Amino acid sequence: MNNKKKSSRNLVIFTIIIVGLMVALVLINQSSQKSKSSEGAFDNPPVTENQPTLGDQNAKVSIVEFGDYKCPSCKAWGENIMPQLSKDFIETGQASFSYINVLFHGEESKTGALAAEAIMLQDPDAFWTFHHEVFNAQPATEEHDNAWLTPDKALELAKEYTPNIDLAKLKEDMGSKQIEDQVSLDEELVREYNIQQTPTIMINNVMVSNPFDYEEISSLINAQLKE
């Protein structure tokens, strides 16, 4: 084989290798993009049938917050993101909003959850008043680690802000199996969706990567509304 033919054959082989590498890179990139697009997506959204819910429960989009009453970030989310979210999507009937308890801060988190669930048992509307007032009562950051969310504090908040609630029944219900089981159901959902931080926000079956990015949240909601 002369040098000219040998050089031509080498050029063909080199070209095939380059084309093969380019195809491989395209396939890897497509696979990566597919992985990214499905990241944070689950087969099904959290079941909210027995959860406190605002808005139209039959709305096309379900927004779920996994939150903890001892969590400063949850308080900040409720103050900075929730009002706009409510105005844009919940009050307009496009989405519902449900809250699921997370107990990352131990007994105080559980106390808040038990009290809130017990209030919802008596009066679902009063739940949201109590919910907001527990976060409002959360102390400053430097005092956050002090034990403040006690059963007595929960009863005090209920007495002040939900006057229609029977306090004796509330105290009894906080220790009941029915309410304990409801909080345990929330814990099962926390495990099922592998919740690692609070707040965690889910739009239908998709977990928001940054709960404080309102643009991301609204984009996900609008995408679900168009489907």
Side-chain angles (χ1 to χ4, degrees):
M1 181 182 294
N2 61 39
N3 290 337
K4 187 174 181 181
K5 288 183 178 180
K6 186 177 180 180
S7 176
S8 177
R9 190 183 72 169
N10 288 341
L11 180 60
V12 170
I13 293 172
F14 179 74
T15 302
I16 291 172
I17 292 172
I18 293 298
V19 171
L21 287 172
M22 291 177 66
V23 170
L25 286 172
V26 169
L27 291 174
I28 290 171
N29 183 62
Q30 288 177 343
S31 176
S32 174
Q33 290 302 319
K34 183 178 180 181
S35 175
K36 286 179 181 178
S37 67
S38 62
E39 185 178 355
F42 293 79
D43 291 337
N44 298 293
V47 176
T48 60
E49 183 178 352
N50 295 315
Q51 302 296 346
T53 299
L54 286 171
D56 182 359
Q57 294 192 6
N58 297 315
K60 188 172 183 179
V61 174
S62 169
I63 306 167
V64 172
E65 176 190 359
F66 286 87
D68 187 325
Y69 286 117
K70 278 276 289 183
C71 167
S73 294
C74 296
K75 176 179 181 178
W77 190 88
E79 292 172 347
N80 296 292
I81 301 298
M82 183 59 183
Q84 191 66 44
L85 190 63
S86 179
K87 179 181 177 181
D88 291 346
F89 298 105
I90 301 168
E91 294 173 19
T92 59
Q94 298 178 87
S96 63
F97 175 82
S98 301
Y99 182 83
I100 295 175
N101 292 293
V102 181
L103 311 183
F104 283 167
H105 294 273
E107 284 303 312
E108 289 183 85
S109 300
K110 187 171 184 178
T111 294
L114 291 169
E117 295 289 352
I119 283 181
M120 192 176 83
L121 182 65
Q122 284 196 50
D123 183 353
D125 291 332
F127 168 88
W128 293 105
T129 300
F130 181 79
H131 174 88
H132 293 303
E133 294 305 332
V134 173
F135 282 119
N136 287 340
Q138 197 179 100
T141 304
E142 59 271 16
E143 301 174 4
H144 179 263
D145 291 335
N146 296 337
W148 64 273
L149 189 44
T150 62
D152 285 344
K153 181 64 176 180
L155 291 169
E156 175 189 321
L157 291 171
K159 181 179 180 180
E160 183 173 358
Y161 296 105
T162 57
N164 294 328
I165 292 295
D166 183 331
L167 294 179
K169 178 171 171 41
L170 173 60
K171 186 175 181 179
E172 179 183 349
D173 287 343
M174 285 174 64
S176 70
K177 185 178 184 304
Q178 180 180 3
I179 298 301
E180 182 79 36
D181 286 348
Q182 182 59 45
V183 173
S184 295
L185 178 62
D186 286 6
E187 291 185 281
E188 289 177 14
L189 289 169
V190 169
R191 289 190 291 271
E192 179 181 349
Y193 289 91
N194 192 29
I195 303 303
Q196 299 293 318
Q197 65 180 22
T198 53
T200 288
I201 307 300
M202 290 192 66
I203 309 300
N204 285 348
N205 65 322
V206 180
M207 189 176 290
V208 176
S209 60
N210 179 2
F212 287 91
D213 185 346
Y214 189 76
E215 183 177 348
E216 178 189 359
I217 294 173
S218 59
S219 294
L220 281 171
I221 293 173
N222 284 321
Q224 295 281 357
L225 288 170
K226 291 177 182 177
E227 288 186 359

